[in-house]
Amino acid sequence: MTFLRCFGFLFLSCIIARINPCSNLPFTTPTESDLESSLIRSSLMTLNLDGHFSFDDVHHAARDFGNRYHFLPCTILRPESVSDIATTIKHIFHMGPSSALTVAARGHGHSLQGQSQAHGGVVINMESLNEPAMRVHAGELPYVDVSGGELWINILHENLKYGLAPKSWTDYLHLTVGGTLSNAGISGQAFRHGPQLSNVYQLEVVTGKGEVMNCSDNQNADLFYSVLGGLGQFGIITRARIALEPAPKMVKWIRVLYSNFSIFAKDQEYLTSAKNTFDYIEGFVIINKTGLLNNWRLSFNPQDPVQASRFNSDGRTLFCLEMAKNFNPDETDTMNQEVESLLSQLSYIPSTLFLTEVSYLEFLDRVHISEKKLRSKGLWEVPHPWLNLLIPRTRIHKFAEVVFGNILTDTSNGPILIYPLNKSKWDSRTSVVTPEEETFYLVAFLSSAMPSSTGTDGLEHILIQNKRILDFCERAHLGMKQYLPHYTNQEEWRAHFGPRWESFVQKKSAYDPLAILAPGQKIFRKAISFS
Ligand SMILES: Cc1cc2nc3c(=O)[nH]c(=O)nc-3n(C[C@H](O)[C@H](O)[C@H](O)COP(=O)(O)OP(=O)(O)OC[C@H]3O[C@@H](n4cnc5c(N)ncnc54)[C@H](O)[C@@H]3O)c2cc1C
Ligand SMILES: *[C@@H]1O[C@H](CO)[C@@H](O)[C@H](O)[C@H]1NC(C)=O
Ligand SMILES: *[C@@H]1O[C@H](CO)[C@@H](O)[C@H](O)[C@H]1NC(C)=O
Ligand SMILES: *[C@@H]1O[C@H](CO)[C@@H](O)[C@H](O)[C@H]1NC(C)=O
Ligand SMILES: *[C@@H]1O[C@H](CO)[C@@H](O)[C@H](O)[C@H]1NC(C)=O
């Protein structure tokens, strides 16, 4: 057992091993630390809450989708009201720097590198927070008020009862509002509507001082924009007001293949900038190797051209353009004409056109089907060394040439998504960092590692490949920014934020001066002083 002294705000370069997760003084003897832990316990137990703390079964809060980082918290708070969250944070804030207790909101725990964990701290199980009850407001500018711990799939179900739905999504809906708004929330609708954080009217936030504040574009605007894309650093989102639109009943879902990246990218960019275009545009890279993991996003239908192998790629890398057009049954003819006209502008390999029609719900919840399939084979709860990059448009060809041509030549360990986004739909006042150019691509390497494999599908191999991709971006000065960014020291975070770093630090000191919140992001470190 090593106890290292860690001094100074903001530095992470040392590791503290703790005997008991509730003990928070890094250089006490075990007996003192047990005492400390029972003091923390009893001090938290004195709080008057609607919900409760659990101290015993804390192991699940030391897991996430990434399945690589495991930090045990001291306790899990299951809040039943916003004031439970405020009371807890205020209590910890008033303990000051003599306590190392930190607080992590845990949405659905689908982060990848421990971002929703709190070593020795308090994890707030946001899904327990059921207030406010979800309320849909129809009218000119329809919106829904939801809890920050609400899952997007539940929001979809509730809104569909009123014929309404949010405008911008993620590919997978078993994620929480607070979790995706703290990042951005990107999917095939973002080129039109912007990411999810561009479609929020108002938030209620509990700051790192335990204050409950409403914020929006015209009330506490600085807090509002800080929290959006803020990686949980400035406050806990307890409720959100989300913009809605009329929901279509049906979706025409289309896939076509390309073997030439330039032509693929040209068509994608044409479609994302065209008027009266598709409602959803994504794309992915198919490195020819069959197998469930490689194709889990593809395997939605046995008639799919890739699945059915009606098209022989001869081992070449292929690019699949995926599009969807929303419609209601009485508009089928017009929709078909519009689709036909858009497709006629494209240069895909003609024999690869694949079309289907599904309900809007089925379309949006499509990844859940793959999840069930992978779960049944024990392939869902494996390590996920994902890498998500934003690449400026003018450098995407170089990126594709090197990454798909040299680095990932004969295999991929999961889907690789690639599609353009329009910066004008991203509010520059939010905390999220994007590349400089007007158009940039999301490139997502969604790898799964086979437990205990030492081969090309093993964790080690995939991490090395990820590193090669990152090193290339650095060497070639691509102006890449990570999405769902992960860094382990402050120099790297500073580089990630670039000229915006100073303002990020200044906001941190305004809203969470003791650095209590979201320690798993490893951006700031709580200052501890012993007197
Ligand atoms: C299968 C899968 C598919 C995905 N697809 C997409 C996609 O298409 N597009 C996309 O953009 N992302 C996607 N993601 C990434 C996803 O948006 C992030 O992993 C997100 O963090 C997960 O949300 P969560 O609710 O599980 O949050 P958590 O992992 O629980 O939390 C993430 C971070 O936000 C903080 N946080 C959580 N709740 C709150 C809150 N209420 N207030 C303040 N901070 C909070 C946490 O402390 C943590 O730092 C996907 C992830 C998975 C696993
Ligand atoms: C925030 O606004 C909602 C209504 O929009 C209100 O119910 C709530 O009490 C407000 N919270 C604060 C802290 O003002
Ligand atoms: C891809 O298409 C572009 C534009 O038509 C062409 O210049 C290029 O040579 C093609 N690349 C390959 C590998 O065929
Ligand atoms: C980005 O969106 C703006 C605003 O809708 C639009 O004017 C512009 O043409 C778009 N750019 C591209 C490259 O799609
Ligand atoms: C993959 O490549 C092999 C030849 O290397 C070919 O026989 C097979 O049909 C290809 N699969 C697809 C889906 O193109």
Side-chain angles (χ1 to χ4, degrees):
M1 200 67 58
T2 36
F3 293 117
L4 294 175
R5 262 176 110 106
C6 303
F7 275 121
F9 188 44
L10 307 175
F11 282 96
L12 254 191
S13 45
C14 58
I15 299 157
I16 307 172
R18 294 187 179 115
I19 289 173
N20 179 312
C22 285
S23 77
N24 279 285
L25 294 178
F27 38 89
T28 50
T29 65
T31 354
E32 280 171 275
S33 116
D34 287 346
L35 179 65
E36 176 65 19
S37 109
S38 63
L39 284 175
I40 288 170
R41 219 180 238 248
S42 46
S43 98
L44 290 174
M45 297 296 277
T46 61
L47 302 178
N48 188 7
L49 304 179
D50 300 308
H52 66 278
F53 286 104
S54 44
F55 290 91
D56 299 326
D57 187 20
V58 296
H59 286 84
H60 96 273
R63 289 180 69 88
D64 58 29
F65 183 78
N67 209 349
R68 296 173 48 211
Y69 292 78
H70 304 282
F71 299 111
L72 269 185
C74 165
T75 181
I76 300 176
L77 171 62
R78 299 185 189 282
E80 277 176 26
S81 62
V82 173
S83 87
D84 284 358
I85 296 175
T87 302
T88 303
I89 297 181
K90 195 170 280 173
H91 178 75
I92 295 171
F93 180 70
H94 286 304
M95 289 163 93
S98 67
S99 148
L101 270 189
T102 55
V103 176
R106 178 182 170 92
H108 207 47
H110 274 43
S111 37
L112 298 156
Q113 295 102 347
Q115 285 90 341
S116 58
Q117 301 177 27
H119 189 180
V122 179
V123 167
I124 303 182
N125 189 57
M126 292 303 293
E127 282 185 68
S128 309
L129 179 69
N130 290 316
E131 71 162 38
M134 213 184 315
R135 269 198 43 212
V136 179
H137 297 255
E140 275 292 289
L141 267 184
Y143 63 84
V144 61
D145 283 327
V146 299
S147 148
E150 194 61 78
L151 293 176
W152 286 99
I153 182 68
N154 297 340
I155 298 175
L156 178 59
H157 282 300
E158 182 63 20
N159 278 285
L160 285 178
K161 294 180 194 161
Y162 301 83
L164 295 166
K167 301 173 183 177
S168 188
W169 296 96
T170 46
D171 293 344
Y172 174 67
L173 306 184
H174 295 248
L175 305 169
T176 66
V177 167
T180 69
L181 294 183
S182 297
N183 286 291
I186 309 173
S187 182
Q189 301 84 11
F191 78 93
R192 282 182 72 204
H193 295 294
Q196 289 181 322
L197 52 70
S198 301
N199 294 279
V200 180
Y201 294 137
Q202 186 185 319
L203 297 174
E204 182 188 69
V205 170
V206 180
T207 68
K209 300 179 192 171
E211 302 158 322
V212 188
M213 288 169 83
N214 275 327
C215 57
S216 65
D217 187 46
N218 52 37
Q219 183 190 8
N220 301 314
D222 183 66
L223 177 62
F224 182 65
Y225 290 111
S226 300
V227 166
L228 292 171
L231 305 173
Q233 295 305 302
F234 308 110
I236 294 184
I237 299 168
T238 47
R239 52 173 103 184
R241 177 165 294 178
I242 293 160
L244 302 174
E245 65 180 4
K249 295 234 166 11
M250 299 292 294
V251 167
K252 186 93 166 186
W253 188 1
I254 305 161
R255 283 172 173 173
V256 293
L257 299 182
Y258 296 76
S259 58
N260 179 316
F261 180 77
S262 303
I263 298 173
F264 162 79
K266 186 166 145 280
D267 279 359
Q268 256 190 343
E269 287 174 28
Y270 163 74
L271 289 177
T272 53
S273 59
K275 288 219 166 58
N276 203 9
T277 186
F278 291 103
D279 296 291
Y280 161 103
I281 298 169
E282 287 199 5
F284 35 93
V285 185
I286 303 161
I287 294 174
N288 178 1
K289 179 190 171 219
T290 45
L292 183 64
L293 282 176
N294 195 28
N295 289 328
W296 62 270
R297 292 264 166 120
L298 288 174
S299 55
F300 73 104
N301 188 313
Q303 268 112 57
D304 188 282
V306 187
Q307 279 305 105
S309 290
R310 278 190 285 141
F311 176 75
N312 185 343
S313 72
D314 286 328
R316 279 175 303 177
T317 295
L318 296 174
F319 304 94
C320 178
L321 173 56
E322 182 177 61
M323 303 147 277
K325 188 87 175 164
N326 300 340
F327 70 103
N328 289 318
D330 59 343
E331 307 156 345
T332 310
D333 291 344
T334 332
M335 181 277 298
N336 278 328
Q337 280 162 22
E338 284 171 2
V339 165
E340 207 166 299
S341 145
L342 285 165
L343 290 177
S344 73
Q345 305 296 308
L346 307 182
S347 311
Y348 55 88
I349 303 166
S351 65
T352 63
L353 174 63
F354 172 73
L355 304 99
T356 188
E357 285 174 13
V358 295
S359 73
Y360 193 48
L361 176 63
E362 249 180 290
F363 176 73
L364 290 177
D365 201 25
R366 62 200 176 278
V367 174
H368 193 49
I369 295 169
S370 308
E371 174 187 353
K372 285 193 224 160
K373 224 181 265 180
L374 290 175
R375 273 191 194 281
S376 72
K377 296 180 154 51
L379 295 174
W380 186 254
E381 292 183 10
V382 298
H384 292 105
W386 285 13
L387 185 64
N388 284 269
L389 310 176
L390 302 172
I391 309 284
R393 185 186 75 84
T394 60
R395 310 310 303 280
I396 195 71
H397 298 272
K398 183 74 189 163
F399 179 90
E401 181 194 321
V402 172
V403 174
F404 309 133
N406 295 338
I407 300 181
L408 301 174
T409 44
D410 51 25
T411 178
S412 76
N413 293 291
I416 303 173
L417 311 185
I418 181 164
Y419 55 92
L421 298 162
N422 182 335
K423 196 180 176 89
S424 75
K425 315 282 178 178
W426 296 60
D427 196 307
S428 63
R429 290 168 294 179
T430 66
S431 292
V432 69
V433 178
T434 58
E436 295 296 329
E437 292 182 16
E438 278 311 295
T439 302
F440 52 84
Y441 277 75
L442 173 73
V443 188
F445 300 90
L446 309 180
S447 305
S448 296
M450 289 303 97
S452 70
S453 162
T454 53
T456 54
D457 56 359
L459 183 60
E460 278 311 299
H461 176 85
I462 299 170
L463 290 174
I464 289 169
Q465 246 170 6
N466 287 352
K467 176 127 189 355
R468 286 182 65 197
I469 296 169
L470 290 171
D471 286 349
F472 158 69
C473 291
E474 181 84 26
R475 250 192 346 269
H477 302 291
L478 293 191
M480 175 277 283
K481 291 293 175 189
Q482 284 190 31
Y483 176 57
L484 310 174
H486 169 61
Y487 295 108
T488 51
N489 67 61
Q490 203 174 60
E491 275 322 293
E492 291 175 332
W493 278 114
R494 191 186 280 269
H496 172 76
F497 286 101
R500 305 177 59 189
W501 171 249
E502 298 307 328
S503 127
F504 196 82
V505 171
Q506 183 256 319
K507 287 168 175 174
K508 183 72 173 178
S509 64
Y511 300 118
D512 180 23
L514 295 181
I516 290 169
L517 300 177
Q521 299 280 0
K522 302 185 177 138
I523 306 174
F524 301 101
R525 191 182 169 83
K526 190 175 183 189
I528 313 162
S529 71
F530 305 95
S531 42

